[in-house]
Amino acid sequence: MGFFKRLLFGDHKRLHDRESSDPDKEPEHPSSTKLSVNIDYLMHEFHRTSDLRIRILEKGQAALVYMESLVDQEKIHEMIFKPLELGDVEHISDIPNSKVTLNMEEAIQTLLRGHALYMEDGLRGVYQFRVTSSFNRSIEEPANEKVVRGSHDGFVENLMININLLRKRIENRNLTVKYYRLGKKTNNNIALVYIDGVTDPSLIQEIEYRLKYISADMIHSPGYVEEFIEDQTFSPFPQMLNTERPDRVTANLIEGRVAIMSEGSPTVLIAPSTFFSFYQSSDDYNMRWFTGTFVRLIRLASFIIAVCMPAFYIAVVSFHFEVIPNELVMPVKQSINGIAYPPLIEALVMVVIIELIREAGIRLPQPIGQTIGIVGGLVIGDAVVRAGLVSNLMVIVVALTAIASFVVPSNEMSTTLRLLTFPLILLAGTLGFIGITFGFMMILIHMTRLESFGVPYTSPIAPLRIKDLKDTFIRMPIYRMNNRPKDSRAVDKEVIGPSREWKQLERTNNEQQPAGSQEASQQASSESNQSSD
Amino acid sequence: MQTQIGVGVLSLPSDLHQVAKQDGWISLAIAGAVLPVILFCLFLIGKQFPDSTFEQMTEKLFSKWGGRVFSFLYILYFSSVAALIILLFGRMISLWVLPNTPFWAIALCMVIVGLYLANGGLLVLARFYTMVSGLLPVLIILTLFSFQEVHLMYLMPIGESGISKIFEGASEAMLSFFGFFVSLVIFSEVEGKPRQKFIIILLAHFFTFFFYMITLLVSYTFFSTTELSLVPEPLLYMLKSFELPFVARIDLFFISVWFVSVATSYTTYLYIASLGLKQLFRTKSIKVFNLVISLFVYAFTLLIGFDVAKVDRHANVVVYGGYIFSFTIPIVMVVIILVMKPFQKRKEEAS
Amino acid sequence: MKKILLIIICLLLLTGCWDERQFKNIKLVMTMGFDQGEDGGIIETVSIPTVNRGTEGQTEERVQVLSTWARTPLEGRDFVDQSIAESFDPAKLRVVVIGEELAKENIYSVLDEFYRNPTNNLNAHLAIAKGRASDVLSYQNISDTMISEYISGVLEGAVASTHATGENIQLICAELFEPGEDFSLPILAVDEEKQLIKYDGMALFHEEQYSGVDIPMKLSTMFMLMQGIKGRVAHLTKKVSDEHEDERYNYVTVNVRGHKRKADISVHKDTVSVDLNLSLKVRVVEYPSDHLQEKRTIDELDEKLSETLTKDAQKVVSLMQEANSDIWAIGRQVKAYYPEVYKELDWAETFPEIEIKPSVKVEVIQHGIIH
């Protein structure tokens, strides 16, 4: 809502200023007819960087300029020299697939993109050849979003390949890509992808509007973009879905959401996203819907476990031990009797240790990382219990919490969950159950207050939309999810038409010709008899 | 809309019992049946002024200054209800869960939750309520645990305490439905046709009624007649003695869940009180008034604290206030509207 | 700004943990016993188990039994508290044993504290000790180290085999307060010779007092069935013939599979009479004299059993009336359905006088996997 306010009341002046200042940012510098002037200008602009190569051709009458580090020598040969050698063309300037510009600034831009420039004395035009070299990782399944079944490709660092992956999946003229150049110094390419006619135009407008506001020297990863355009930065909850899976992006695009991709990062941002979208995995849709529902329910239960479990344990052992059932009283008492520290400290220490182990495991190379896991998990855990520093119940509780937090398909959400345990632990240590309820309520209120691009974060629970619950707690059979969820604010409602009508047809056919089907079954049985003979 | 269920749930059975003995449930039924009439009055008022705020309504009906005085009184009333909720909540928590925790800490929890929630505005309020209304089934299920030990006999003999007592009980029961008045105040803030809104309000009312009835019947049949007069919060007391295989003392969980529903009803009163102030001062932001009223309520409750006698006195004031503000004035307003209607029509025709 | 406020509040909250009761610093009292003491006081006996964990996970359990004289139960608790390390907490109380003598005076005075304070466990079993409660509690047995486990095990066993009702502190509350309704509690006795604590029938109460009349063990299953309560199994062993010389051949043991209880209360002017019809469907589980192939023998057995059990039932009724213990809540039902009659009666005086006619009808429906 704040956005509209800003749009209506304030910031008009600033917006205006920026628009007027835009042309200054890309100044025009006409190219000269003199080769030496042009070369000098380039040399000066690039501060005589060593990888700027200038090849003097035709006895000093022409020059080919390129960034050595950005171009592919093979391509230069292929595109520029081969036609010459073959005699197809007389001059380099005659080679058809070149682009001519009269603006040196533009030439500099293309040079930075890995083009080669050809200039001739006496000609104002600067010919640009696209000879960019690119080094790409092969398309692999993203390590942090593995699925059992389903497609095993993932985005890479190259924007073109990423868009290619999407276009292959959505062969539709309505799939629209819009480029933005962001980052004053780094000049990164950001792409906004959506399906026209499905996505709400006002949503696209709003995202564009927010993107245009970004004024930073560097846009180095989608995390930058996310923090610049999300509604609430002072929130532990991620408000945009991060994913590296093309199938996930495709599904979200079809649902009417917008994807924001950036050059140099395999991560794609999806907006608007709600709390529950972080709990959906593309795996769910490749399973039977019973199992999909089951798995999803377990995942959602893990949210409660991850956030509340240590707090609950602390509240029980230091406030309300009446809650422990009779049979468990003595075992629990046994395990915590000789512990020196209060449970609050115990829990904090253990949670921090788990985080340490996790962080150490990520940073270290794989073989060592696993060792750290074993050392941390088994050796430290065991030793700590034996030494009587931490009770074994606490180890169980904290370990369960950690496992529960890793169940979430989204890494961002999982870190959020682990962060949220801390305040709840503190509250449980001061006010017991009331503290937990208080904390949980604050979290819930915060979540209801959050909005992701005008979409309530907690939808479809609050505001309640029973239809959309089909894909929230449970996963209904896919043909039942025939409307797009409302939280994506899609314009076009229907996503799946009648797809299982054949079943009904079959049934009506059977009813119409009961005799015929009987005959058929008799025939079938006689056939089976024959075969058994 | 389900703000009606609040502090009352826990003590309603015994309150009713004090007046009407085992026929308390009949009283409740009568109260539940009478209330739609008053709700209909509210609906009439709301329909008459579909676009105007509560403050504007009173101004139209009671002239400018009279309206302002009325609005101010209402604000006072709403904030005192909010204060009462905090007081009862504090008392309950202190009795049942945290006997040594000072009042200011418990009250602070409530005040913070209320402030944070109310600052989100009506939309967030509504969203939060729909979200936590998922907890009501939990409360009901917890209540139903006690069906193992139900003695329908305890409801007998019907009508022992006499009709006058039953009606007295009914008026007592009606007080537990005070939340309905909120619907008038936010009538114009909610989108939708008046008829639709009315139906929603009615549904909310019947749901509350249903919920009260369940708790009442369960506690009436679980406890014997004499025992019930000794136990101020029969529902909790009942849950206390049950044990599930994995947890004992269900009452503690019940209180924790109940905290949420109390917080919602507190926030509603806080919100409408500051909404009133906002309309009175004709400003845009409500946050300042939320803070002002929260602080006011907090300071007020700190003055009273755990003192049972003072809490009861305050409760009495609020209850009588409730009679005036929730029953009498709406009816007066309806009468005025009905009287004025022909005049207005004539005026319109004339112009 | 709001965040800073929140952080400050969190810190503020951290400074005081007013209600913290660290579980590890608490001595759990699992069993409590109350006896009549001198000068109108009580003697409170508690057993406190202590566990210490060894380094290798082995645990050592010790039970401490303390007795102290006090005027009220809470004062007794304070006295006990002064003589033990750490603090005393009855929140996980399993069993409350009340001595015979004290029970005969009034049991509510002892129990009030349990009802009043929220942390107490209302789920605790309640039992009457034959003799003194302190004897039961200080008894050292070999198999179960914890006396609370032992006693509650005994009581739960009695409930499962349809000998006791399984009353806890909360469940008797209604009967304690409500006029025209009484209750019974299981009796525990220490068997000095065999070194055991055993269940020994049901103690009948009148209002808040133990009447001194017991339902003996032999009749307790019948007593339960007449209340309409059945545990997991309900065995009845009865003599059905005198024909055989070998005594054991004269008995039959049946397991009650289904029971239906119907109590008709009829009021004629001022006289209340009750007809109790109990029909039992049983399975024969032990009958050495066999011959259950024929329908006639089964019918005879039915008749015989019905007869003996009706006699038992009459005995139970007479015991109840002797104790003036209205276990069936007849008084409350009269109050519920005939309020005018009830108002004129002094129920405590009427109950021993009313006519109660029990009749038991037995039907053998199964006879095991042999005839």
Side-chain angles (χ1 to χ4, degrees):
Chain A
M1 282 294 131
F3 147 70
F4 287 113
K5 218 186 277 169
R6 224 180 306 136
L7 188 69
L8 290 175
F9 305 112
D11 286 347
H12 266 297
K13 215 172 136 223
R14 215 178 121 209
L15 201 67
H16 187 72
D17 282 354
R18 185 193 286 275
E19 273 161 7
S20 63
S21 70
D22 270 349
D24 300 332
K25 235 169 74 183
E26 281 177 60
E28 235 170 280
H29 189 280
S31 57
S32 159
T33 42
K34 268 195 167 171
L35 179 63
S36 58
V37 175
N38 281 342
I39 298 276
D40 277 348
Y41 180 73
L42 282 179
M43 295 278 268
H44 176 255
E45 282 297 300
F46 279 102
H47 311 284
R48 298 180 188 283
T49 174
S50 306
D51 59 347
L52 182 74
R53 285 296 283 263
I54 300 162
R55 274 171 77 167
I56 307 296
L57 303 168
E58 307 197 4
K59 295 163 193 141
Q61 290 303 301
L64 190 66
V65 185
Y66 54 87
M67 296 294 278
E68 193 183 21
S69 48
L70 282 177
V71 302
D72 192 346
Q73 295 288 348
E74 289 270 305
K75 278 191 188 162
I76 291 184
H77 186 78
E78 281 279 311
M79 284 181 76
I80 303 167
F81 295 110
K82 212 167 177 186
L84 274 184
E85 276 169 25
L86 291 175
D88 289 350
V89 286
E90 287 282 298
H91 267 291
I92 289 181
S93 49
D94 297 339
I95 294 172
N97 49 3
S98 69
K99 215 173 109 194
V100 188
T101 181
L102 296 178
N103 181 5
M104 283 312 280
E105 285 303 320
E106 197 191 321
I108 286 173
Q109 288 296 332
T110 52
L111 205 55
L112 279 173
R113 254 173 250 164
H115 292 211
L117 303 183
Y118 175 78
M119 292 173 282
E120 237 181 82
D121 207 11
L123 270 177
R124 260 198 78 188
V126 177
Y127 300 85
Q128 303 159 343
F129 298 93
R130 203 185 132 86
V131 286
T132 321
S133 71
S134 55
F135 303 98
N136 286 318
R137 191 156 66 91
S138 60
I139 295 168
E140 289 163 352
E141 178 163 30
N144 49 3
E145 281 176 275
K146 288 224 157 108
V147 293
V148 182
R149 209 91 67 63
S151 75
H152 291 289
D153 53 359
F155 287 127
V156 290
E157 281 76 4
N158 187 316
L159 188 59
M160 290 306 137
I161 295 181
N162 291 350
I163 292 172
N164 169 284
L165 284 173
L166 285 184
R167 282 245 182 235
K168 285 250 173 78
R169 281 188 162 75
I170 308 173
E171 281 182 23
N172 190 328
R173 74 186 85 172
N174 290 333
L175 183 72
T176 318
V177 181
K178 278 191 182 170
Y179 287 136
Y180 293 90
R181 293 237 153 229
L182 293 176
K184 279 186 293 194
K185 295 269 190 299
T186 53
N187 209 11
N188 287 76
N189 211 358
I190 304 279
L192 188 71
V193 187
Y194 59 92
I195 299 182
D196 206 350
V198 173
T199 314
D200 185 9
S202 68
L203 173 73
I204 300 163
Q205 241 173 29
E206 191 171 326
I207 292 179
E208 276 178 0
Y209 177 76
R210 287 185 196 186
L211 279 174
K212 274 191 189 135
Y213 252 102
I214 298 178
S215 149
D217 277 1
M218 175 174 81
I219 296 294
H220 134 99
S221 67
Y224 274 64
V225 184
E226 187 177 353
E227 290 210 352
F228 284 131
I229 65 172
E230 72 190 350
D231 296 61
Q232 272 268 356
T233 36
F234 284 103
S235 164
F237 290 99
Q239 290 145 57
M240 288 164 111
L241 190 66
N242 282 332
T243 182
E244 292 183 26
R245 299 191 58 87
D247 51 351
R248 213 170 173 185
V249 176
T250 314
N252 277 304
L253 286 178
I254 297 287
E255 279 187 353
R257 296 194 176 83
V258 174
I260 299 165
M261 312 167 99
S262 75
E263 180 75 59
S265 166
T267 310
V268 174
L269 294 174
I270 290 167
S273 44
T274 63
F275 175 71
F276 291 100
S277 61
F278 289 91
Y279 280 87
Q280 295 167 340
S281 155
S282 31
D283 240 4
D284 298 350
Y285 303 95
N286 293 322
M287 288 184 216
R288 311 281 314 152
W289 72 271
F290 291 110
T291 33
T293 303
F294 175 67
V295 171
R296 190 169 284 174
L297 282 178
I298 282 191
R299 255 185 244 140
L300 284 166
S302 81
F303 170 71
I304 310 269
I305 294 174
V307 173
C308 287
M309 184 95 148
F312 180 73
Y313 175 73
I314 287 169
V316 167
V317 295
S318 49
F319 283 88
H320 315 287
F321 57 83
E322 303 91 284
V323 165
I324 309 170
N326 281 334
E327 284 74 17
L328 264 180
V329 168
M330 285 332 268
V332 172
K333 180 105 174 102
Q334 247 169 45
S335 87
I336 66 167
N337 238 4
I339 308 301
Y341 298 110
L344 184 65
I345 308 282
E346 230 183 308
L348 286 179
V349 166
M350 273 321 279
V351 173
V352 170
I353 285 180
I354 290 265
E355 287 301 292
L356 284 180
I357 294 171
R358 192 189 62 87
E359 196 66 19
I362 294 175
R363 302 293 159 232
L364 284 171
Q366 264 224 325
I368 310 177
Q370 283 175 356
T371 329
I372 284 289
I374 294 164
V375 169
L378 295 177
V379 181
I380 296 182
D382 194 44
V384 133
V385 170
R386 280 184 193 223
L389 293 174
V390 175
S391 66
N392 42 18
L393 271 177
M394 183 59 85
V395 174
I396 296 173
V397 165
V398 172
L400 270 181
T401 314
I403 291 173
S405 74
F406 289 128
V407 168
V408 192
S410 153
N411 186 42
E412 286 69 39
M413 194 46 109
S414 131
T415 40
T416 303
L417 291 188
R418 269 174 282 132
L419 198 68
L420 284 178
T421 41
F422 286 98
L424 276 182
I425 286 176
L426 292 181
L427 280 169
T430 41
L431 288 172
F433 280 170
I434 297 302
I436 296 180
T437 319
F438 170 70
F440 210 73
M441 230 149 73
M442 289 305 269
I443 292 174
L444 279 188
I445 295 174
H446 177 74
M447 275 166 65
T448 37
R449 286 181 67 155
L450 272 187
E451 276 188 2
S452 170
F453 297 91
V455 172
Y457 197 55
T458 43
S459 70
I461 298 288
L464 187 68
R465 259 186 63 87
I466 305 222
K467 264 191 182 167
D468 289 351
L469 289 181
K470 279 185 223 168
D471 197 17
T472 317
F473 290 115
I474 55 170
R475 183 182 83 75
M476 289 294 270
I478 290 169
Y479 63 90
R480 287 283 181 79
M481 303 194 258
N482 43 6
N483 281 341
R484 274 174 233 279
K486 205 187 174 194
D487 56 56
S488 62
R489 303 205 303 189
V491 186
D492 184 10
K493 284 274 172 298
E494 195 179 70
V495 69
I496 293 174
S499 310
R500 276 181 72 85
E501 301 305 278
W502 56 267
K503 186 111 184 179
Q504 207 133 30
L505 275 177
E506 210 169 59
R507 207 172 294 149
T508 47
N509 282 348
N510 283 352
E511 275 162 17
Q512 277 166 1
Q513 311 163 305
S517 66
Q518 241 173 18
E519 260 171 44
S521 68
Q522 268 172 3
Q523 234 169 17
S525 63
S526 65
E527 264 170 37
S528 69
N529 281 342
Q530 277 170 1
S531 65
S532 64
D533 289 341
Chain B
M1 285 288 177
Q2 271 104 26
T3 48
Q4 295 188 15
I5 298 172
V7 200
V9 178
L10 295 180
S11 52
L12 174 74
S14 84
D15 286 350
L16 275 187
H17 187 269
Q18 270 170 8
V19 184
K21 290 264 169 63
Q22 63 267 55
D23 297 319
W25 61 279
I26 308 177
S27 309
L28 183 64
I30 293 173
V34 169
L35 268 177
V37 176
I38 291 173
L39 283 178
F40 188 68
C41 289
L42 295 185
F43 164 65
L44 276 184
I45 301 171
K47 204 180 147 194
Q48 192 68 24
F49 309 104
D51 297 320
S52 49
T53 58
F54 182 68
E55 209 262 330
Q56 286 163 334
M57 284 182 207
T58 49
E59 270 187 24
K60 271 180 200 159
L61 288 178
F62 304 109
S63 79
K64 198 173 177 194
W65 282 107
R68 290 210 168 160
V69 169
F70 263 111
S71 304
F72 186 71
L73 283 178
Y74 265 107
I75 290 160
L76 217 58
Y77 167 64
F78 288 140
S79 18
S80 62
V81 173
L84 180 68
I85 290 175
I86 288 189
L87 285 173
L88 292 178
F89 170 75
R91 184 169 76 175
M92 200 74 77
I93 294 293
S94 155
L95 275 179
W96 282 87
V97 198
L98 304 166
N100 300 322
T101 307
F103 182 77
W104 65 263
I106 300 173
L108 192 63
C109 273
M110 190 59 116
V111 170
I112 290 172
V113 167
L115 189 60
Y116 192 49
L117 187 54
N119 272 353
L122 193 64
L123 208 61
V124 168
L125 234 69
R127 279 178 198 162
F128 186 70
Y129 292 170
T130 44
M131 194 143 73
V132 297
S133 56
L135 287 175
L136 287 177
V138 177
L139 285 183
I140 292 177
I141 288 168
L142 283 181
T143 319
L144 293 184
F145 270 117
S146 41
F147 262 123
Q148 315 155 14
E149 282 289 339
V150 154
H151 304 280
L152 276 180
M153 186 178 77
Y154 288 143
L155 287 181
M156 302 287 175
I158 293 172
E160 192 203 25
S161 37
I163 291 174
S164 64
K165 286 279 177 192
I166 291 177
F167 272 103
E168 210 174 300
S171 72
E172 191 92 359
M174 215 142 0
L175 296 185
S176 58
F177 289 105
F178 269 171
F180 66 81
F181 192 71
V182 175
S183 48
L184 178 62
V185 179
I186 54 172
F187 205 84
S188 63
E189 307 270 321
V190 186
E191 282 171 32
K193 286 175 194 148
R195 185 171 293 276
Q196 258 176 335
K197 285 190 244 177
F198 180 58
I199 288 168
I200 289 171
I201 293 168
L202 266 190
L203 280 179
H205 164 69
F206 280 114
F207 184 79
T208 324
F209 171 68
F210 172 69
F211 186 71
Y212 275 162
M213 207 59 180
I214 285 184
T215 54
L216 195 78
L217 282 180
V218 165
S219 38
Y220 270 36
T221 49
F222 182 80
F223 290 99
S224 71
T225 323
T226 13
E227 193 184 1
L228 202 58
S229 53
L230 290 177
V231 184
E233 288 96 26
L235 203 56
L236 281 181
Y237 214 82
M238 185 169 62
L239 291 171
K240 184 160 135 65
S241 61
F242 289 112
E243 180 174 331
L244 294 180
F246 43 95
V247 279
R249 293 294 304 275
I250 307 171
D251 57 320
L252 287 176
F253 295 97
F254 192 90
I255 286 202
S256 307
V257 177
W258 170 78
F259 177 21
V260 179
S261 75
V262 174
T264 52
S265 58
Y266 163 72
T267 313
T268 312
Y269 283 108
L270 170 69
Y271 181 76
I272 53 175
S274 37
L275 193 71
L277 271 188
K278 187 188 117 178
Q279 286 161 4
L280 213 58
F281 286 100
R282 298 181 199 287
T283 44
K284 280 230 164 64
S285 168
I286 197 170
K287 289 184 183 177
V288 190
F289 297 114
N290 276 334
L291 190 66
V292 167
I293 295 210
S294 294
L295 287 179
F296 168 69
V297 165
Y298 188 50
F300 183 70
T301 51
L302 281 188
L303 276 180
I304 293 183
F306 284 138
D307 192 334
V308 177
K310 279 187 193 164
V311 173
D312 283 345
R313 214 177 305 145
H314 180 62
N316 272 337
V317 170
V318 171
V319 162
Y320 286 120
Y323 275 126
I324 297 169
F325 289 109
S326 299
F327 291 104
T328 323
I329 293 186
I331 291 172
V332 169
M333 281 167 87
V334 169
V335 169
I336 293 178
I337 286 173
L338 290 180
V339 170
M340 270 168 61
K341 223 176 194 174
F343 283 107
Q344 266 179 344
K345 255 188 195 158
R346 212 167 297 157
K347 218 185 268 175
E348 273 164 28
E349 276 165 20
S351 65
Chain C
M1 185 53 210
K2 233 176 278 158
K3 296 283 146 178
I4 298 164
L5 199 77
L6 257 180
I7 291 163
I8 292 168
I9 288 156
C10 282
L11 288 177
L12 260 177
L13 288 177
L14 266 181
T15 53
C17 317
W18 304 274
D19 278 297
E20 211 176 19
R21 294 181 299 153
Q22 289 296 350
F23 188 38
K24 58 179 187 186
N25 298 336
I26 270 168
K27 283 266 193 281
L28 283 176
V29 170
M30 311 279 271
T31 323
M32 276 175 122
F34 298 100
D35 280 309
Q36 179 76 27
E38 290 160 27
D39 302 332
I42 55 162
I43 291 176
E44 183 169 334
T45 314
V46 294
S47 91
I48 305 166
T50 318
V51 278
N52 282 319
R53 200 162 54 95
T55 41
E56 289 301 307
Q58 287 142 343
T59 52
E60 187 197 346
E61 289 187 11
R62 278 180 297 113
V63 178
Q64 201 179 0
V65 177
L66 286 171
S67 251
T68 176
W69 179 91
R71 279 163 300 182
T72 67
L74 261 187
E75 197 187 38
R77 188 190 292 189
D78 288 340
F79 289 157
V80 172
D81 223 358
Q82 284 154 19
S83 52
I84 56 167
E86 297 168 347
S87 60
F88 177 112
D89 200 301
K92 290 314 293 184
L93 195 67
R94 293 288 293 279
V95 184
V96 177
V97 184
I98 298 173
E100 206 176 345
E101 251 178 274
L102 183 64
K104 275 178 185 164
E105 298 240 319
N106 190 332
I107 63 164
Y108 181 71
S109 59
V110 178
L111 295 178
D112 178 72
E113 183 258 322
F114 291 100
Y115 292 124
R116 199 170 292 279
N117 297 321
T119 54
N120 285 321
N121 186 12
L122 291 180
N123 247 333
H125 294 287
L126 205 57
I128 299 296
K130 200 144 202 128
R132 298 186 69 79
S134 56
D135 294 341
V136 175
L137 258 69
S138 49
Y139 160 78
Q140 295 279 328
N141 72 320
I142 313 108
S143 54
D144 295 287
T145 36
M146 279 200 288
I147 187 81
S148 60
E149 291 279 314
Y150 183 42
I151 298 178
S152 59
V154 167
L155 292 175
E156 273 155 26
V159 173
S161 59
T162 325
H163 283 294
T165 37
E167 300 279 19
N168 58 31
I169 299 180
Q170 173 58 46
L171 290 177
I172 66 160
C173 188
E175 284 101 346
L176 258 181
F177 290 122
E178 188 77 10
E181 204 173 350
D182 293 311
F183 60 99
S184 58
L185 288 178
I187 301 175
L188 292 172
V190 180
D191 193 329
E192 296 285 347
E193 280 170 38
K194 290 179 193 157
Q195 285 291 301
L196 288 172
I197 294 174
K198 66 168 200 188
Y199 164 75
D200 197 28
M202 296 295 284
L204 293 174
F205 275 72
H206 174 63
E207 282 168 10
E208 296 160 6
Q209 290 158 0
Y210 173 36
S211 60
V213 181
D214 301 340
I215 301 279
M217 249 251 288
K218 278 188 287 179
L219 290 175
S220 59
T221 307
M222 199 57 219
F223 175 58
M224 289 297 121
L225 288 172
M226 284 164 78
Q227 286 182 55
I229 298 168
K230 187 172 104 44
R232 266 190 306 113
V233 286
H235 281 167
L236 291 164
T237 304
K238 287 292 156 233
K239 192 171 185 176
V240 284
S241 71
D242 299 313
E243 291 162 19
H244 299 276
E245 260 176 40
D246 189 345
E247 265 294 301
R248 289 182 293 276
Y249 274 90
N250 293 333
Y251 284 88
V252 64
T253 304
V254 294
N255 184 13
V256 179
R257 305 285 301 165
H259 63 287
K260 206 177 260 172
R261 172 189 184 270
K262 196 164 185 297
D264 290 320
I265 300 171
S266 46
V267 179
H268 293 290
K269 285 180 191 166
D270 286 359
T271 48
V272 179
S273 62
V274 182
D275 284 313
L276 184 86
N277 290 309
L278 185 66
S279 74
L280 301 175
K281 288 197 165 51
V282 300
R283 170 201 278 174
V284 175
V285 287
E286 195 176 42
Y287 188 47
S289 42
D290 292 330
H291 315 305
L292 285 175
Q293 295 99 317
E294 289 170 44
K295 195 173 181 299
R296 199 165 50 85
T297 13
I298 294 177
D299 288 345
E300 268 171 33
L301 191 62
D302 282 353
E303 219 162 280
K304 201 84 187 171
L305 272 174
S306 304
E307 201 179 303
T308 36
L309 286 179
T310 307
K311 262 181 216 157
D312 278 359
Q314 278 158 359
K315 265 185 238 165
V316 169
V317 167
S318 66
L319 280 173
M320 272 166 55
Q321 286 187 316
E322 187 192 333
N324 196 2
S325 180
D326 187 2
I327 304 281
W328 298 342
I330 299 170
R332 185 64 184 80
Q333 287 177 58
V334 171
K335 189 187 172 191
Y337 302 110
Y338 309 97
E340 288 79 26
V341 179
Y342 184 82
K343 260 179 217 158
E344 282 166 28
L345 294 175
D346 181 356
W347 190 249
E349 282 182 12
T350 321
F351 180 69
E353 308 296 321
I354 63 169
E355 197 184 348
I356 302 177
K357 272 186 283 178
S359 79
V360 184
K361 208 172 156 298
V362 182
E363 191 189 337
V364 174
I365 54 163
Q366 284 173 324
H367 34 72
I369 50 176
I370 58 162
H371 283 293

